[in-house]
């Protein structure tokens, strides 16, 4: 079974698009770190994510003191401006050879430099359709809605998916 490590923005995007439940029902194991949960400041988002933590559909790794020091050293070694939480998910994915799931461009670049496999929200939509958890029509609708509220997402890839999924509906 594939194991992925979620960054905060993926949980936010999934909650916004109304697909968090569907995502956590995919045949993948989803992990994150405790600092990601702390970054969820919207009560509804946090409660939704905590529901999946409590039902064991989402595994949260609590960093030990030694791991916090490792992450701080990793962060200090970088030239970019990544948050501690970004560094924590990247480090956790790297040391466990998991795939990092993020929508943060700077984190994505650092993960690639660090030889961490990285994917984004478009991948999530792709596998939701591939596993027939949602229809291609619903994927096109929700991706379009998500792009309206998160314009940092890759426009070209989104337009390609929406066009493809709209044709297959």
């Amino acid at each position: 079974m594939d194991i992925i490590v979620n960054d905060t923005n993926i949980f936010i995007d999934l909650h916004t698009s109304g697909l968090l439940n569907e995502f956590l029902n995919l045949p993948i194991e989803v992990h994150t770190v405790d600092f990601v949960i702390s970054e969820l400041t919207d009560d509804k988002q946090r409660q939704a994510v905590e529901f999946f933590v409590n039902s064991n559909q989402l595994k949260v790794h609590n960093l030990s003191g030694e791991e916090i020091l490792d992450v701080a050293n990793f962060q200090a070694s970088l030239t970019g401006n990544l948050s501690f939480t970004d560094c924590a998910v990247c480090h956790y994915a790297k040391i466990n050879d998991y795939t990092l799931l993020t929508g943060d461009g700077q984190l994505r670049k650092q993960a690639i430099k660090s030889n961490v496999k990285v994917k984004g929200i478009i991948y999530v939509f792709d596998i939701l359709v591939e596993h027939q958890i949602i229809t291609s029509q619903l994927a096109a609708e929700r991706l379009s809605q998500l792009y309206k509220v998160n314009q940092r997402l890759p426009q070209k890839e989104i337009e390609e998916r929406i066009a493809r999924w709209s044709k297959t509906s």
Side-chain angles (χ1 to χ4, degrees):
M1 177 178 285
D2 288 339
I3 299 176
I4 59 166
V5 179
N6 257 37
D7 187 19
T8 310
N9 56 53
I10 295 294
F11 286 125
I12 293 169
D13 285 348
L14 287 167
H15 186 268
T16 299
S17 62
L19 295 173
L20 184 59
N21 182 54
E22 289 77 0
F23 169 69
L24 287 162
N25 282 304
L26 281 164
I28 56 176
E29 193 171 307
V30 182
H31 290 218
T32 196
V33 298
D34 49 351
F35 288 92
V36 165
I37 305 300
S38 299
E39 282 190 345
L40 294 169
T41 56
D42 178 276
D43 286 340
K44 288 182 181 179
Q45 292 170 354
R46 186 183 192 104
Q47 288 171 1
V49 170
E50 285 177 346
F51 171 81
F52 293 104
V53 171
N54 294 332
S55 65
N56 292 319
Q57 288 175 277
L58 170 62
K59 304 203 181 334
V60 178
H61 179 72
N62 294 305
L63 273 69
S64 68
E66 184 178 326
E67 288 171 317
I68 289 172
L69 185 58
D70 290 344
V71 171
N73 289 334
F74 175 66
Q75 184 180 26
S77 73
L78 303 177
T79 55
N81 190 24
L82 290 178
S83 72
F84 183 85
T85 301
D86 290 341
C87 292
V89 292
C90 187
H91 182 73
Y92 180 69
K94 181 176 178 57
I95 63 171
N96 291 292
D97 195 30
Y98 297 155
T99 298
L100 176 62
L101 193 55
T102 185
D104 182 311
Q106 195 172 6
L107 177 53
R108 174 182 290 272
K109 287 176 189 170
Q110 183 56 53
I112 292 167
K113 275 187 197 176
S114 300
N115 295 316
V116 174
K117 294 171 284 203
V118 63
K119 299 191 183 285
I121 194 71
I122 306 267
Y123 163 78
V124 173
F125 276 85
D126 286 343
I127 62 174
L128 286 170
V129 171
E130 177 185 319
H131 287 277
Q132 299 178 346
I133 292 179
I134 62 173
T135 64
S136 54
Q137 179 183 358
L138 182 60
E141 289 170 10
R142 298 288 175 88
L143 191 55
S144 178
Q145 291 168 353
L146 180 59
Y147 185 66
K148 288 177 184 170
V149 295
N150 185 355
Q151 300 216 333
R152 293 175 304 178
L153 298 174
Q155 181 180 1
K156 183 180 177 195
E157 286 185 55
I158 287 174
E159 289 172 351
E160 288 171 0
R161 294 306 192 293
I162 290 171
R164 179 175 358 128
W165 290 331
S166 297
K167 287 179 188 173
T168 60
S169 302

